[in-house]
Amino acid sequence: MSSSRPFDTELPLVAAPMAGGPSTTALVQAVAGAGGLGFLAAGYKTPERMAEELDTARGWGVPFGVNLFVPNDQPYDEQALNAYAAELADEAAALGAEVRFAPGADDDHWADKIALLLDAPVPAVSFSFALPDRSLIAELKGRGTVVLQTVTTLDEARAALDAGVDALVVQGPRAGGHSATWTPTRAIEDFPTARIVARIRALTSVPIIGTGGVDGPGTVREIMAAGADGVAIGTLLVRAEESGASPVYQDALVSGEFTRTTITRAFTGRPARGLHNGFIERHGEHAPTAYPAVHRMTSPMRTRAWITGDTDRLSLWAGTGFASAQAAPTAQILHGLASQLP
Ligand SMILES: Cc1cc2nc3c(=O)[nH]c(=O)nc-3n(C[C@H](O)[C@H](O)[C@H](O)COP(=O)(O)O)c2cc1C
């Protein structure tokens, strides 16, 4: 199939990067085997672990990508953070965990991760949360790496194009997990991914991968019809056989206990969409915008909640299509999603 996709894969489908467990090397390999393009998620990983995964993926001899979080620490209100820590004390006590108060910067090992990508280039890199320096984009491109930038608004798209990226990942507000917004304080209005894809398509002819809110083959068709060259699937791969998501999380998506998703800062201090549970209900309105300080603050609590299977206090990231997430081999899920494409 010829296209303007960065890689001429058989299917216009991409496995969206999902940090925190789901994006295993097995998932990315299965996506490649099914004719799509898979992304590894380097976020939250040590550089050593990232390097191991890249070595594994290089051994396949097929295109793949890796996603990084770009440091985007914003000034935040210390008092609000203190107040939020106090508010979470009862939750922590119920879990037998601490509220870890750890303000300050945390760049997720940015420099070491970039050094790995410059020393041993990979086929594709995507960036989320902010735009890296244009000099870095040029350096990566000079090494033969296709550089993609995740954008959520027209202004972000314009800035990314101006900085010289090869392709855009256009994330709509119905996406599961963190919004890739560069402005985490902003309100995130609801609309279908196809709408923002069409607006950004009007700006540029570079390849666009649309992502967010896919609930079946009809949404994939709509996003493609709006001008995308590919569609990235997140939540609908969380229950794939090759996913590394924990059984508690996989089951929660389809248990019927959760009927909707919400965008919340309650777990990490940055807007993210997840199954609407008690923790979001109790704290969503009070959480300050302070990433990664809130992420680190709640991390011991979330670890305890995973261990004890406490879905009322877990961050269960999910896009609006979550109820359609099937437990099936990745190839079967992707072929089903491509089934209404012309
Ligand atoms: C569990 C989970 C983890 C995610 N981790 C990342 C990540 O590491 N980097 C990133 O750019 N986006 C991440 N996302 C967002 C996805 O890449 C993608 O934009 C989103 O899943 C698409 O929406 P959908 O879930 O409705 O398909 C994550 C999403 C989920 C559900």
Side-chain angles (χ1 to χ4, degrees):
M1 194 191 284
S2 75
S3 77
S4 59
R5 296 200 291 280
F7 299 100
D8 198 14
T9 51
E10 194 189 320
L11 293 180
L13 295 181
V14 172
M18 290 186 282
S23 295
T24 58
T25 50
L27 179 70
V28 173
Q29 189 176 20
V31 171
L37 177 71
F39 273 80
L40 295 165
Y44 311 136
K45 293 208 170 98
T46 62
E48 294 73 26
R49 181 84 192 109
M50 172 181 162
E52 278 168 28
E53 291 195 348
L54 296 184
D55 282 348
T56 302
R58 281 192 196 94
W60 304 327
V62 296
F64 67 93
V66 60
N67 171 260
L68 269 70
F69 296 148
V70 182
N72 182 9
D73 282 17
Q74 311 261 323
Y76 58 80
D77 179 348
E78 289 263 352
Q79 251 182 338
L81 194 63
N82 277 317
Y84 194 53
E87 174 173 326
L88 297 186
D90 288 349
E91 302 281 357
L95 285 160
E98 55 165 340
V99 178
R100 185 190 292 158
F101 195 64
D106 172 359
D107 68 2
D108 198 31
H109 308 282
W110 171 252
D112 291 345
K113 289 179 179 177
I114 292 299
L116 284 174
L117 298 176
L118 293 174
D119 288 351
V122 294
V125 172
S126 73
F127 293 111
S128 300
F129 295 179
L131 181 67
D133 285 348
R134 65 173 60 229
S135 59
L136 173 61
I137 294 168
E139 260 188 284
L140 288 165
K141 287 172 67 173
R143 283 166 169 74
T145 298
V146 172
V147 179
L148 299 96
Q149 176 66 39
T150 313
V151 298
T152 61
T153 63
L154 265 74
D155 282 349
E156 289 174 1
R158 285 192 196 94
L161 293 168
D162 183 57
V165 302
D166 294 301
L168 299 174
V169 177
V170 174
Q171 190 201 50
R174 297 182 180 175
H178 281 118
S179 163
T181 180
W182 307 354
T183 316
T185 45
R186 81 173 171 88
I188 300 191
E189 186 204 340
D190 179 58
F191 50 79
T193 296
R195 184 166 112 187
I196 176 110
V197 165
R199 289 191 179 166
I200 294 179
R201 173 47 80 217
L203 292 179
T204 178
S205 59
V206 306
I208 289 178
I209 294 170
T211 193
V214 168
D215 56 0
T219 318
V220 170
R221 192 189 57 225
E222 271 167 37
I223 296 172
M224 292 295 285
D229 302 288
V231 177
I233 312 297
T235 306
L236 262 50
L237 288 174
V238 168
R239 301 183 70 233
E241 265 174 24
E242 296 84 355
S243 158
S246 75
V248 173
Y249 172 27
Q250 297 200 22
D251 292 350
L253 289 173
V254 292
S255 67
E257 193 188 339
F258 304 102
T259 53
R260 64 185 169 109
T261 60
T262 313
I263 295 184
T264 186
R265 293 168 176 80
F267 294 105
T268 66
R270 177 176 241 290
R273 186 179 288 279
L275 297 178
H276 186 90
N277 64 2
F279 193 90
I280 296 177
E281 181 77 30
R282 293 187 289 276
H283 307 294
E285 298 204 344
H286 316 146
T289 302
Y291 178 89
V294 175
H295 168 73
R296 281 184 294 168
M297 179 187 283
T298 64
S299 156
M301 296 168 51
R302 283 181 288 141
T303 303
R304 278 296 299 165
W306 285 119
I307 293 167
T308 58
D310 186 346
T311 53
D312 190 59
R313 295 189 172 90
L314 268 175
S315 46
L316 300 162
W317 299 143
T320 55
F322 71 95
S324 307
Q326 291 172 43
T330 294
Q332 189 180 320
I333 296 170
L334 292 185
H335 284 120
L337 289 172
S339 63
Q340 290 184 17
L341 292 176

